[in-house]
Amino acid sequence: MPYRAPVAELRFVLDHVVGFDRVAATETFAEATPETVDAILTEAGRMCTDVLAPLNREGDLHPAHLENGVVRTSPGFGDGFRAIADGGWIGMSADPEHGGMGLPITLTMAVNEMIGSGCLALQLNPLMTQGQIEALEAHASPALQDLYIPKLISGEWCGTMNLTEPQAGSDVGALRTKAEDNGDGTYAITGQKIYISWGDSDFAENICHLVLARLPDGAPGTRGISLFMVPKRLPDEAGNPGVANTLKVVSLEHKLGLHGSPTAVMQYDGATGWLVGEPHKGMAAMFTMMNNARLGVGVQGLSVAEAAMQHAVAYALDRKQGKTALGDAGTGSILDHADVRRMALDMKVDVFAARSIAMDCAVALDMAKATGDAAWQARGAFLTPIAKAFGTDTGIKVANDGVQMHGGMGFVEETGAAQYLRDVRVTAIYEGTNGIQAMDLVGRKLMDGGAAAFAILDDLSGTNHEGLDAAIAALRDLTEWLVAQDMQDRFAGAVPYLAAFARVLGAAYHLRAAEADTSRAPVARVATARLLPEAMAEMAKARSGAEALYAVSSDVIAA
C-alpha cells in the first residue's frame, strides 16, 4: 500500500493537543503563521508520499555497499536526498544568518516524521546533518560556522556524529581516539569509530565528521574529551572540497534493517581536524547534537509506526477470511475480527500518543528558545527521554503487530511488513538505549526534586476522568517516592516509570482530542479503558526496587 502523509493529523495535533499557537505567538517564531504551517506540511507531505516512499523498498532490496573504498548508495537515494535538500527541509530550524529558515523545531519534527515514514534509511542522513548544524551554531567558532553551516543547510555537504568505539560502547569516556596539536590551528586525529550512520555517500561533495577525541592533557573519562570537525576533503581557500583527508571507510555493517543507510567503521590516521568549542568540553558540545537527535530518533520510531500501521490496516481491509459478529454490517474483512481490531486500535492509540508526546516536547523546546523561560527548558528536557523511548518502543510494537496482522504473509518479505520491524528495531538502541533514556529520566531529570515532573502533572490534572485522574495522582506519589530513593532503586524502576508516564500523557492527549472533535471520542475510550490501566501495573513495577534483581546471582541467571 502506498504511504499517505498524515498532514491533517499533524495539523490537528499542533492546533488542538499541544498548543502550537503559543509558539507562533512569540516574536521569535512570528513567521510560523497558520498559512505557513499549512504550506510546509502540504508540500513536505507531497514530497514524502510521491518521491520518498517509493525509495523505501529500493533501499531494503538494494543496500548501500562499499566498492573499492567508495560507498555506493541505493538506487534513487541521491535524487531523494536532493529533493529533501532543494525543498529546504534540512535547514528549517537553522539560523537565517547562514541560510536557514529559522522556523520552530516543532515544524522540523513534523516534517521529519513524514520523511522518516517515506524512507527511514534516507531520513537518517538529514537528521544527522540537522544535529550537526545545531552543535556548530552553539559551539563552533564564527569561521567554522561560516564555512560549514551554509553548505550543510544546502545539502552540498552532509554531517555525521562520531562517538562510539569498539571497546567503549555507551561508555564514551573510555574512548582511545587521540588528537594532537599541529601548531597551525589544526589537530591530527587518530583512531577508529564504529556505527557511523551515513559515514559516506556518493551524492554529497563532502562529508563533515564531528569526532570526539582526547588531547594529550585531557583528563580520563568524559571530562577530558574534546570535539573536532574532521572533513572527508579539506576545504581549499575558496571553501570548496580540496584534497582528501587521511580518513577512510573501513567497512559497512551488515545490519538487521536500514539496509539503505550505510553504517560505517571509520578510520582516522592523523586526519586534519579543527577544534569545536573549548578544549576538554567536547561532551557538552556533542550533547547539543545528541539531544536534538534523541527527540529526532523518537520521531523516527513514530515514523515507522505510522507507515507500518497504514500498511497493516490496508492489508486487513483487503483480506477476507471467516465470519465475525458484525456479519453483513461489517467490512467482510479480517478487520471485523475482535483481535485484529484490537491490534489496529492499539496501533492508532499509540501512534497518536507518540506523535503528541514528541510535538509537546518540541513545543517546549521552541518556547524555551523564544522566551528564555527555564520552566519551558525543564519541560522539554523532561519530555525528551520519554519522547525517544516511547516513540521507538511504539515503532517496534506497531511494526511487530503489523507482521501479526498479516498472519503468515507477514513473515514473507514480499509483503513488506517485515521491513518495518527490521528497520525500526535499532531506534531503541542508538542515541542512548531506551534503558539509558529511562535512567536519565529518574536520575538527571529528577535532580530538581521532581519539579519538572510535577509541573507536567499539574498541567494534566483535573480531567474529570476518574481513571486518568487516579493515574495522575498515583504517578505524582511515585515520583515523590523515587526522589527519596537511592539511585540504584531508581534505576531498577526507571523503565516502568517512563512507560507509566507515557501512558498517562497519551491518555490525556486523547481526551483533549476528543474535547476538540467528538468523533475522536471512541478512540479516546480505547486509550483510557484498555491501555491506561497498564500505567498502574508499570507503577507497581517501578516501586519494587533493586533488591529483588540483585538477590539472584549471576550464576543462577546464567544457569
Side-chain angles (χ1 to χ4, degrees), residues 135 158 324 480:
C158 295
T324 72
E480 292 174 349

Side-chain angles (χ1 to χ4, degrees), residues 9-26 29 32-34 37 104-107 352 355-368 370-371 376 379 383 459-460 508-509 512-513 515-516:
E9 187 71 0
L10 280 162
R11 190 61 204 265
F12 180 87
V13 169
L14 295 180
D15 289 346
H16 300 292
V17 180
V18 300
F20 180 74
D21 58 313
R22 294 172 293 181
V23 176
T26 66
F29 298 118
T33 63
V37 173
I105 192 68
T106 306
L107 295 184
F352 180 89
R355 179 177 290 124
S356 298
I357 291 172
M359 295 301 122
D360 195 352
C361 180
V363 163
L365 297 177
D366 283 328
M367 291 300 293
T371 67
W376 281 114
R379 181 185 179 93
L383 288 175
D459 184 50
L460 301 179
Y509 296 136
R512 286 182 195 172
E515 289 174 2

Side-chain angles (χ1 to χ4, degrees), residues 139-164:
H139 301 283
S141 67
L144 284 180
Q145 290 180 4
D146 292 344
L147 174 59
Y148 284 90
I149 294 178
K151 293 183 182 296
L152 292 168
I153 289 173
S154 70
E156 296 170 77
W157 296 359
C158 295
T160 76
M161 176 168 55
N162 286 235
L163 290 81
T164 310

Side-chain angles (χ1 to χ4, degrees), residues 113-128:
E113 180 201 320
M114 294 188 285
I115 296 175
S117 293
C119 185
L120 182 62
L122 180 56
Q123 190 262 350
L124 266 167
N125 186 304
L127 179 69
M128 293 293 98

Side-chain angles (χ1 to χ4, degrees), residues 454-470:
F454 298 143
I456 292 172
L457 294 175
D458 287 343
D459 184 50
L460 301 179
S461 296
T463 67
N464 294 321
H465 183 284
E466 182 178 352
L468 179 55
D469 284 340

Side-chain angles (χ1 to χ4, degrees), residues 28-116:
T28 302
F29 298 118
E31 293 186 6
T33 63
E35 294 76 18
T36 298
V37 173
D38 280 340
I40 286 172
L41 295 181
T42 299
E43 288 304 311
R46 183 178 296 116
M47 175 193 68
C48 296
T49 299
D50 297 340
V51 179
L52 301 185
L55 300 177
N56 196 50
R57 195 67 176 151
E58 288 295 312
D60 193 53
L61 296 175
H62 306 285
H65 61 281
L66 193 60
E67 183 179 280
N68 298 322
V70 177
V71 171
R72 303 298 183 190
T73 54
S74 302
F77 271 40
D79 292 337
F81 177 78
R82 186 44 49 196
I84 296 169
D86 290 349
W89 307 123
I90 297 174
M92 284 181 64
S93 297
D95 193 328
E97 179 182 349
H98 294 112
M101 296 185 189
L103 290 169
I105 192 68
T106 306
L107 295 184
T108 295
M109 290 299 115
V111 170
N112 281 359
E113 180 201 320
M114 294 188 285
I115 296 175

Side-chain angles (χ1 to χ4, degrees), residues 278-321:
E278 298 296 321
H280 318 311
K281 302 295 183 182
M283 285 304 295
M286 186 60 86
F287 264 112
T288 300
M289 186 174 184
M290 288 179 66
N291 284 331
N292 173 295
R294 283 174 173 173
L295 174 57
V297 172
V299 171
Q300 287 185 326
L302 163 63
S303 297
V304 176
E306 173 67 38
M309 176 178 68
Q310 289 190 22
H311 194 89
V313 170
Y315 176 83
L317 283 169
D318 187 62
R319 176 69 168 164
K320 314 294 183 183
Q321 183 175 321

Side-chain angles (χ1 to χ4, degrees), residues 299-456:
V299 171
Q300 287 185 326
L302 163 63
S303 297
V304 176
E306 173 67 38
M309 176 178 68
Q310 289 190 22
H311 194 89
V313 170
Y315 176 83
L317 283 169
D318 187 62
R319 176 69 168 164
K320 314 294 183 183
Q321 183 175 321
K323 296 180 180 180
T324 72
L326 291 177
D328 293 339
T331 65
S333 71
I334 63 171
L335 193 61
D336 292 348
H337 291 277
D339 191 56
V340 175
R341 185 156 293 209
R342 172 192 63 81
M343 287 188 284
L345 282 169
D346 281 0
M347 291 176 178
K348 193 171 186 68
V349 166
D350 280 350
V351 167
F352 180 89
R355 179 177 290 124
S356 298
I357 291 172
M359 295 301 122
D360 195 352
C361 180
V363 163
L365 297 177
D366 283 328
M367 291 300 293
K369 180 176 180 179
T371 67
D373 189 336
W376 281 114
Q377 184 62 50
R379 181 185 179 93
F382 191 87
L383 288 175
T384 294
I386 301 176
K388 195 277 182 182
F390 184 73
T392 56
D393 284 344
T394 294
I396 294 167
K397 183 178 186 301
V398 169
N400 188 57
D401 283 350
V403 171
Q404 191 72 15
M405 281 176 65
H406 278 75
M409 294 305 295
F411 203 65
V412 175
E413 287 288 355
E414 282 77 3
T415 63
Q419 182 187 344
Y420 295 115
L421 182 56
R422 289 187 286 101
D423 283 354
V424 78
R425 185 60 187 85
V426 73
T427 61
I429 298 171
Y430 59 32
E431 303 309 332
T433 67
N434 286 0
I436 289 175
Q437 302 302 317
M439 291 165 70
D440 173 57
L441 185 67
V442 301
R444 185 179 294 109
K445 302 303 164 57
L446 290 184
M447 288 177 65
D448 61 359
F454 298 143
I456 292 172

